[in-house]
Amino acid sequence: MYNRYLRTILGFFGIEDIQTLAVDNTDSNPEGLEEILSQAIQQAQEIAVQF
């Protein structure tokens, strides 16, 4: 839901090249939180290199 809102607002300003990174299961899996966050950071770094 927030993704569409941000795309709409940023599109209004002419920003249309947007990539989304969703980090799921952070609240339901506290034991694996560090691994989930580590993977999300790695994915964000890969996206940043492509940017």
Side-chain angles (χ1 to χ4, degrees):
M1 184 170 153
Y2 68 90
N3 189 19
R4 282 189 298 190
Y5 173 76
L6 287 176
R7 286 183 182 271
T8 301
I9 296 299
L10 293 173
F12 178 76
F13 292 107
I15 301 171
E16 297 178 354
D17 185 15
I18 301 167
Q19 291 190 355
T20 303
L21 174 64
V23 181
D24 296 326
N25 297 325
T26 56
D27 57 346
S28 63
N29 187 6
E31 296 84 20
L33 181 61
E34 291 296 323
E35 182 179 343
I36 292 169
L37 292 178
S38 175
Q39 290 174 356
I41 291 170
Q42 182 180 4
Q43 289 175 347
Q45 290 171 338
E46 291 171 4
I47 291 171
V49 168
Q50 296 172 2
F51 181 72

